[in-house]
Amino acid sequence: MQMKNTKGVGGLIITEEVLVKMASTAALEVAGVAGMTALPAEKTGILSKVVPPKAVRVSTKDNEVVIDLYIAVKRDVRITDVAEAVQKNVKETVQNMTGNAVTKVNVHIADIQFEEAAGQ
């Protein structure tokens, strides 16, 4: 999946991998986010090919972007506040960096971190 922009003399292509990195980085900047969490592998297709799990899914159509994020939150946070902050930061970051409209940022709380990692 790629976003294409053909304004001006040449062309610009932003790959899905770049959009995923932008969204992941923006989500991890939000206080209360413990990390990104991949979903279990899915089976698709005729041959039941196993698709590797992803923590961020991006779909583009007509230079509009829809992002699904699967995150783990820290304990003792208000989940709705964290999710709203993630939506806002991801949307602003991707729109500012690409110039394309982000129509939806769906935040899925896939895990919660109860214990602090050693050394923190």
Side-chain angles (χ1 to χ4, degrees):
M1 218 175 286
Q2 299 175 348
M3 282 188 357
K4 296 181 181 181
N5 185 345
T6 55
K7 295 178 183 174
V9 178
L12 168 67
I13 297 174
I14 302 172
T15 65
E16 180 180 349
E17 290 80 17
V18 173
L19 295 171
V20 166
K21 283 185 181 183
M22 286 179 201
S24 296
T25 302
L28 291 170
E29 291 173 351
V30 175
V33 175
M36 306 303 292
T37 304
L39 290 179
E42 297 176 345
K43 294 184 179 184
T44 60
I46 297 171
L47 302 175
S48 296
K49 178 180 164 185
V50 176
V51 177
K54 289 186 177 183
V56 179
R57 294 186 181 165
V58 176
S59 60
T60 60
K61 183 177 180 182
D62 300 326
N63 289 333
E64 291 184 352
V65 182
V66 176
I67 301 170
D68 283 277
L69 299 154
Y70 298 85
I71 65 171
V73 295
K74 296 178 181 177
R75 71 177 210 163
D76 298 331
V77 298
R78 186 175 169 143
I79 293 174
T80 54
D81 292 344
V82 172
E84 288 172 3
V86 167
Q87 286 175 317
K88 181 180 179 195
N89 199 40
V90 168
K91 181 176 181 171
E92 288 176 359
T93 298
V94 174
Q95 284 185 163
N96 290 339
M97 292 182 78
T98 65
N100 294 94
V102 175
T103 55
K104 286 185 183 181
V105 177
N106 301 309
V107 178
H108 305 267
I109 309 302
D111 198 5
I112 186 166
Q113 183 183 56
F114 286 105
E115 297 177 14
E116 289 293 322
Q120 286 188 358

